[in-house]
């Protein structure tokens, strides 16, 4: 008997102040901010002690997420 395929659905949320916000609802500037911060943090942790990365120059977090 064939195994039935099961669809996996995922959602990503971030904390913005006191709110939990779905990443799908962010505007392009906010999504870019989140992506650059995550990449910086990820690569810094993966290559800790082997390489260093400069933190990206981003606008202040309060300005990017002023909507919330």
């Amino acid at each position: 008997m064939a195994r039935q395929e099961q669809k996996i659905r995922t959602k990503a949320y971030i904390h913005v102040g006191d709110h939990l916000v779905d990443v799908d609802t962010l505007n392009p500037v906010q999504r870019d901010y989140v992506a650059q911060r995550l990449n910086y943090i990820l690569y810094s942790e993966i290559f800790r002690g082997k390489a260093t990365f400069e933190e990206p120059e981003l606008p202040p977090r309060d300005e990017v997420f002023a909507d919330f």
Side-chain angles (χ1 to χ4, degrees), residues 4-67:
Q4 193 176 40
E5 276 193 41
Q6 189 175 29
K7 292 185 180 182
I8 298 174
R9 297 174 191 212
T10 60
K11 284 292 203 178
Y13 295 91
I14 60 170
H15 283 279
V16 178
D18 297 340
H19 304 333
L20 194 57
V21 179
D22 186 351
V23 174
D24 291 338
T25 64
L26 299 177
N27 66 40
V29 173
Q30 293 167 333
R31 292 184 105 171
D32 184 58
Y33 181 92
V34 170
Q36 287 190 46
R37 288 289 302 151
L38 285 175
N39 279 334
Y40 169 71
I41 293 167
L42 176 69
Y43 290 130
S44 294
E45 289 298 317
I46 289 174
F47 297 106
R48 182 184 289 178
K50 297 175 187 170
T52 57
F53 297 90
E54 289 186 31
E55 194 162 350
E57 289 185 28
L58 299 169
R61 184 175 193 254
D62 295 339
E63 288 179 19
V64 175
F65 293 100
D67 307 11

